[in-house]
C-alpha cells in the first residue's frame, strides 16, 4: 500500500490549533471545556497551548473601563466554567458579556494571577462566532431560578447548572445500566411501545387509535362532498338496469361483437358507479360503532391498542428463548396524578432471567443498584458535588452507603409487624397499617430511613395487591414478589418470580377479572417449554431522584409529561 493521503488543509489547521489530540473534540472544531478544566491540575498543565473553545456565557463583565471582559463560558460537558478574557480590540464586549450569548473563541491558555480560584484561563485573540442574546427578553438570567419556574421554559432549562448536571447524571446512569447488564451476559431487547396487553391490569393506559382523526377527516369530507341521497342511489340502480337491458337486447338481436362489447363496458362502468354510491351512502359521521359499542375492527390495528405501561410481558418471550434479557425504554400511564412522584411518560429498566427464582432476582437487583451508585461516584462526582451543594448535602454519603452496604431482607409480614410495633410506640401514619395493605410511601420510607437506615428488600407480598403473573407461594396467600425500598424515595424496584405453571396463571388471570384472549400468547410460554424465571422493573427517574436528592420527578426527565402539560 502507498502512503496515507495527506489530510486536507482545514484538518491540518485544526491539528495546529488544538496543539494536542487529547484536547480537541473528535467531531467538532473546539476543545470541550471538560478537557481543559477537569484535569487533576485544573488545566494548569495546559498553559501555553493554543485552543479553540465554545459555549454559552454564564456570566460576563467588562473591566478596566471597558478595555477587556471576563466571561464564564460553559458548554455542558461539565459543571465547571472556563474563564475567558477578551480585549476590546478583539470584539464588541457589550454583546459578549450578556448571559446566554453563544461564543466560539480561539486563543492561548494561561495561568491566571496568583490568588485566582481558576487554575487556567483562555486569553482570546480571535472571536469566531457570536450568537447574541437580548438580555431584556432572555428568560434564563443569571439570578437564581426555581425548578418550578424552569418547567415553564423547558426548551431553555438545560442551560442551567442544575438541569445540565441532571442530564449528565441521567446519561451516566443509562450508560451504567447497559454496562451492568452487558457485563453480566444479558441481551438488550427492544419491546414495543404500542401494545394490546395491560401488564398491570389497572386500566390506566393511553389509547392508541386513529378512529378519532379518521372520524374528523370523514366529517370534513362529507361537508365538502355530501353523501348521496336516496334519489341518487335509485338513479344509479336505474342506470345499471337500463344498461343491462341494452346488453340483453343486443345479444337477442345478434348484434356485432363490437356493439355488445361496448355495451358491456358501459354496464361495467354503471355497476362500478353504483358500488361507489352505495359505499358512500353507508358513510356516517362520528366514530364507527357495532352493537352499540365502538367498532375497533375499523381501527388501525383492527383491535384496541395502547401505549405500554411495561415491556415486561413482551421481554419474557425472549427470556424464555435466550435466557437473560433486559429492556430499557419509555412507558406510559394515564393516571391523573399531580404528585411530585408521578409522570405520564417515564422510563423503565426491566430485566428477565430464565432458570432463576426470587432469591436470584433479589441478588441481581441489589447488585444493579449498587453498581449504579458506584458508577456515579466514579464517573460523575463533580455533578454529585453540585447536587450536594444545591439540593441534598447527604446525597454523596447515601450513594457510598448503598454501594457498600448489604441490603436488609424481610418478608412483607415482618415489615407489617415492624410498622404495627411503631404505631404502638406512638408513630402516626396517614394510612392505617394492617396485613393485606399495599405499603404506602410513608411506610416504605419509615422502614428504610428510620428502622434500618439502609436499603430494604421486602418480599412475599399478599397476592391480592400484586399482578397476575407473580408466582403463587405454597401458602396460597402470598406471591413471590419483592420490592427494594431506599431512603428518600421509598420503592425503587418492584419484581417477582413469574408464575410458570399453566393452570395456576390461567386461574390468576380469571381471578383478576381479565379477559383470557389478549394473553393467549403469554399462556403459550407456559404451554410450550415452560421455565422458572424472574425479573424486576426499576423506575429510571426514581433512581435519579434517589441519587440527586431533587424532590420533584418532573425535574429529572428532559421533557416531563403530566396532566395538563406536554410541552414540545
Amino acid at each position: 500500500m502507498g502512503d496515507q493521503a495527506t489530510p486536507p488543509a482545514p484538518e491540518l489547521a485544526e491539528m495546529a490549533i488544538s496543539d494536542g489530540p487529547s484536547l480537541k473534540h473528535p467531531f467538532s472544531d473546539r476543545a470541550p471545556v471538560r478537557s481543559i478544566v477537569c484535569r487533576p491540575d485544573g488545566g494548569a498543565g495546559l498553559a501555553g497551548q493554543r485552543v479553540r473553545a465554545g459555549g454559552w456565557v454564564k456570566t460576563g463583565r467588562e473591566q478596566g473601563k471597558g478595555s477587556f471582559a471576563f466571561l464564564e463560558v460553559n458548554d455542558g460537558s461539565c459543571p465547571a466554567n472556563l474563564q475567558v478574557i477578551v480585549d476590546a480590540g478583539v470584539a464588541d464586549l457589550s454583546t459578549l458579556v450578556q448571559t446566554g450569548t453563544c461564543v466560539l473563541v480561539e486563543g492561548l491558555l494561561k495561568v491566571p494571577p496568583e490568588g485566582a480560584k481558576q487554575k487556567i484561563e483562555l486569553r482570546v485573540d480571535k472571536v469566531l462566532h457570536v450568537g447574541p442574546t437580548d438580555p431584556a427578553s432572555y428568560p434564563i438570567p443569571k439570578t437564581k431560578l426555581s425548578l418550578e419556574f424552569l418547567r415553564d421554559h423547558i426548551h431553555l432549562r438545560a442551560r442551567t447548572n442544575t438541569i445540565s448536571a441532571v442530564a449528565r447524571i441521567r446519561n451516566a446512569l443509562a450508560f451504567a445500566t447497559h454496562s451492568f447488564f452487558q457485563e453480566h451476559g444479558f441481551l438488550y431487547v427492544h419491546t414495543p411501545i404500542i401494545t394490546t396487553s395491560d401488564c398491570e391490569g389497572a386500566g390506566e393506559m393511553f389509547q392508541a387509535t386513529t378512529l378519532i382523526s379518521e372520524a374528523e377527516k370523514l366529517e370534513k369530507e362529507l361537508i365538502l362532498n355530501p353523501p348521496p341521497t336516496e334519489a341518487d342511489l335509485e338513479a344509479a340502480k336505474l342506470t345499471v338496469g337500463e344498461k343491462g337491458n341494452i346488453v340483453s337486447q343486443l345479444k337477442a338481436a345478434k348484434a356485432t361483437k363490437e356493439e355488445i362489447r361496448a355495451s358491456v363496458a358501459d354496464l361495467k362502468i354503471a355497476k362500478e358507479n353504483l358500488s361507489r354510491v352505495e359505499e358512500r351512502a353507508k358513510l356516517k359521521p362520528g366514530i364507527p360503532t357495532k352493537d352499540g359499542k365502538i367498532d375497533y375492527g375499523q381501527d388501525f390495528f383492527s383491535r384496541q391498542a395502547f401505549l405500554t405501561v411495561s415491556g415486561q410481558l413482551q421481554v419474557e418471550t425472549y427470556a424464555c428463548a435466550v435466557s437473560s434479557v433486559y429492556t430499557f425504554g419509555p412507558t406510559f400511564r394515564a393516571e391523573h396524578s399531580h404528585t411530585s412522584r408521578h409522570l405520564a411518560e417515564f422510563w423503565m429498566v426491566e430485566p428477565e432471567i430464565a432458570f432463576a427464582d426470587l432469591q436470584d432476582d433479589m441478588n441481581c437487583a441489589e447488585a444493579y443498584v449498587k453498581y449504579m451508585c458506584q458508577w456515579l461516584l466514579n464517573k460523575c462526582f463533580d455533578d454529585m458535588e453540585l447536587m450536594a451543594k444545591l439540593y441534598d448535602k447527604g446525597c454523596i454519603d447515601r450513594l457510598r452507603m448503598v454501594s457498600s452496604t448489604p441490603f436488609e431482607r424481610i418478608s412483607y409480614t415482618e415489615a407489617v409487624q415492624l410498622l404495627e410495633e411503631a404505631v404502638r410506640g406512638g408513630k402516626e401514619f396517614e394510612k392505617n397499617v394492617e396485613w393485606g395493605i399495599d405499603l404506602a410511601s410513608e411506610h416504605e420510607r419509615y422502614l428504610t430511613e428510620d428502622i434500618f437506615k439502609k436499603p430494604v428488600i421486602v418480599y412475599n407480598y399478599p397476592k391480592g395487591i400484586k399482578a397476575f403473573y407473580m408466582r403463587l407461594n405454597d401458602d396460597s396467600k402470598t406471591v413471590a414478589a419483592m420490592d427494594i425500598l431506599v431512603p428518600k424515595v421509598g420503592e425503587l424496584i418492584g419484581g417477582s418470580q413469574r408464575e410458570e405453571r399453566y393452570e395456576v396463571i390461567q386461574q390468576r388471570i380469571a381471578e383478576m377479572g381479565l379477559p383470557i384472549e389478549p394473553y393467549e400468547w403469554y399462556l403459550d410460554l407456559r404451554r410450550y417449554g415452560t421455565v422458572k424465571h424472574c425479573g424486576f422493573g426499576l423506575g429510571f427517574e426514581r433512581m435519579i431522584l434517589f441519587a440527586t436528592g431533587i424532590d420533584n420527578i418532573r425535574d429529572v426527565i428532559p421533557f416531563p409529561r403530566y396532566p395538563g402539560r406536554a410541552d414540545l
Side-chain angles (χ1 to χ4, degrees):
M1 287 181 65
D3 293 340
Q4 289 187 340
T6 303
E11 283 189 32
L12 287 171
E14 293 306 321
M15 291 166 68
I17 288 169
S18 68
D19 197 18
S22 62
L23 284 183
K24 185 181 177 299
H25 189 285
F27 308 116
S28 177
D29 61 347
R30 64 185 174 88
V33 170
R34 183 177 192 87
S35 69
I36 299 171
V37 302
C38 291
R39 295 160 56 97
D41 62 359
L46 299 174
Q49 286 204 35
R50 186 169 184 77
V51 298
R52 182 178 292 175
W56 289 263
V57 175
K58 291 285 189 177
T59 63
R61 65 188 189 279
E62 293 185 44
Q63 295 283 89
K65 296 181 180 180
S67 61
F68 66 96
F70 285 110
L71 310 178
E72 293 288 327
V73 175
N74 189 283
D75 65 355
S77 60
C78 66
N81 302 325
L82 174 64
Q83 180 163 284
V84 172
I85 302 172
V86 187
D87 289 330
V90 175
D92 176 13
L93 301 184
S94 63
T95 302
L96 294 181
V97 297
Q98 304 301 334
T99 297
T101 297
C102 180
V103 296
L104 180 65
V105 295
E106 189 180 310
L108 210 60
L109 290 171
K110 293 189 176 182
V111 176
E114 198 171 333
K117 68 175 183 178
Q118 298 86 6
K119 303 294 184 184
I120 197 74
E121 61 188 19
L122 180 61
R123 300 290 181 95
V124 172
D125 52 41
K126 287 184 185 177
V127 175
L128 304 169
H129 169 76
V130 177
T133 294
D134 178 5
S137 60
Y138 184 56
I140 312 292
K142 60 184 177 184
T143 55
K144 187 172 182 181
L145 303 168
S146 71
L147 295 176
E148 188 175 12
F149 171 85
L150 291 175
R151 282 178 225 140
D152 291 329
H153 300 88
I154 210 83
H155 57 301
L156 293 171
R157 71 173 184 168
R159 295 189 185 185
T160 62
N161 293 336
T162 294
I163 301 301
S164 59
V166 168
R168 289 186 293 270
I169 289 168
R170 186 182 178 97
N171 171 71
L173 288 172
F175 198 150
T177 292
H178 288 295
S179 295
F180 175 83
F181 289 111
Q182 293 296 325
E183 287 172 13
H184 289 88
F186 284 69
L187 192 72
Y188 179 33
V189 176
H190 296 144
T191 50
I193 288 175
I194 296 175
T195 179
T196 54
S197 303
D198 181 359
C199 175
E200 300 298 326
E204 296 169 335
M205 302 176 77
F206 287 102
Q207 194 163 332
T209 179
T210 59
L211 289 179
I212 296 171
S213 59
E214 289 297 323
E216 289 174 344
K217 192 189 303 180
L218 175 61
E219 203 165 312
K220 291 176 182 176
E221 201 271 335
L222 289 177
I223 291 171
L224 294 172
N225 187 12
T229 63
E230 196 67 37
D232 294 330
L233 188 58
E234 287 302 316
K237 289 179 179 177
L238 185 61
T239 301
V240 169
E242 291 172 349
K243 299 294 184 184
N245 288 335
I246 292 172
V247 171
S248 299
Q249 291 169 6
L250 289 171
K251 287 181 177 178
K254 296 184 178 179
T256 64
K257 288 183 180 180
E258 289 74 14
E259 288 176 319
I260 294 174
R261 191 179 297 118
S263 184
V264 169
D266 288 343
L267 175 61
K268 183 180 178 183
I269 291 170
K271 285 182 176 180
E272 288 173 349
N273 181 60
L274 173 61
S275 179
R276 284 194 296 270
V277 170
E278 286 176 333
E279 282 301 311
R280 282 193 57 76
K282 294 176 185 176
L283 296 176
K284 305 292 182 192
I287 293 173
T289 59
K290 187 177 182 180
D291 300 327
K293 297 179 181 179
I294 295 174
D295 183 7
Y296 287 107
Q298 295 189 45
D299 207 349
F300 189 89
F301 297 105
S302 300
R303 62 191 301 183
Q304 263 189 298
F306 309 91
L307 299 185
T308 184
V309 296
S310 167
Q312 178 212 312
L313 300 188
Q314 289 85 356
V315 86
E316 277 189 58
T317 66
Y318 274 73
C320 295
V322 295
S323 301
S324 297
V325 296
Y326 72 105
T327 184
F328 178 17
T331 52
F332 309 85
R333 184 164 296 172
E335 187 176 358
H336 206 82
S337 173
H338 290 271
T339 74
S340 62
R341 291 289 185 270
H342 288 90
L343 288 167
E345 179 183 326
F346 51 98
W347 285 61
M348 292 290 292
V349 179
E350 298 174 292
E352 286 292 320
I353 319 167
F355 308 99
D357 59 18
L358 186 64
Q359 286 295 325
D360 300 312
D361 204 34
M362 292 190 284
N363 292 342
C364 179
E366 180 174 342
Y368 170 45
V369 173
K370 288 182 172 180
Y371 186 96
M372 284 193 291
C373 291
Q374 191 60 52
W375 187 281
L376 286 182
L377 292 170
N378 293 346
K379 311 280 187 180
C380 261
F381 197 78
D382 49 359
D383 287 309
M384 289 308 306
E385 284 182 316
L386 183 67
M387 293 296 109
K389 178 183 176 182
L390 297 179
Y391 297 100
D392 184 353
K393 63 182 180 181
C395 64
I396 292 175
D397 289 338
R398 188 165 60 244
L399 291 179
R400 286 177 174 146
M401 180 271 290
V402 172
S403 66
S404 61
T405 306
F407 292 7
E408 190 69 34
R409 300 188 183 189
I410 59 171
S411 70
Y412 169 88
T413 300
E414 291 169 325
V416 169
Q417 289 170 350
L418 288 171
L419 292 169
E420 288 175 333
E421 200 174 296
V423 171
R424 287 193 293 271
K427 174 65 181 173
E428 293 183 1
F429 294 110
E430 288 185 16
K431 186 175 180 180
N432 290 334
V433 178
E434 60 181 353
W435 199 95
I437 66 162
D438 195 0
L439 297 181
S441 179
E442 58 177 337
H443 304 138
E444 296 167 343
R445 292 187 63 175
Y446 187 77
L447 288 168
T448 184
E449 293 173 8
D450 294 87
I451 295 180
F452 294 106
K453 295 179 171 57
K454 62 177 180 177
V456 180
I457 305 180
V458 179
Y459 59 91
N460 288 347
Y461 279 79
K463 69 175 184 179
I465 60 172
K466 290 296 182 181
F468 72 89
Y469 51 75
M470 298 186 178
R471 194 180 201 278
L472 190 65
N473 287 327
D474 293 341
D475 61 10
S476 295
K477 295 179 180 178
T478 62
V479 289
M482 67 90 183
D483 288 344
I484 293 186
L485 315 179
V486 295
K488 190 75 181 174
V489 170
E491 182 190 338
L492 179 64
I493 281 178
S496 72
Q497 183 174 338
R498 314 312 188 191
E499 182 56 77
E500 85 281 9
R501 296 165 295 184
Y502 174 74
E503 293 79 8
V504 178
I505 195 167
Q506 195 177 35
Q507 183 180 343
R508 290 283 288 144
I509 291 174
E511 284 176 6
M512 300 287 283
L514 297 171
I516 286 286
E517 189 272 330
Y519 299 100
E520 283 293 347
W521 63 269
Y522 191 67
L523 293 173
D524 277 351
L525 301 178
R526 280 74 181 168
R527 287 189 186 102
Y528 312 120
T530 190
V531 64
K532 175 176 67 175
H533 61 288
C534 63
F536 61 82
L538 173 135
F540 195 61
E541 285 74 29
R542 288 197 172 196
M543 179 63 202
I544 304 170
L545 288 178
F546 163 73
T548 62
I550 287 175
D551 288 325
N552 199 308
I553 200 166
R554 298 169 185 177
D555 302 318
V556 297
I557 189 169
F559 306 101
R561 273 81 176 97
Y562 49 95
R565 296 296 291 266
D567 298 345
L568 277 63

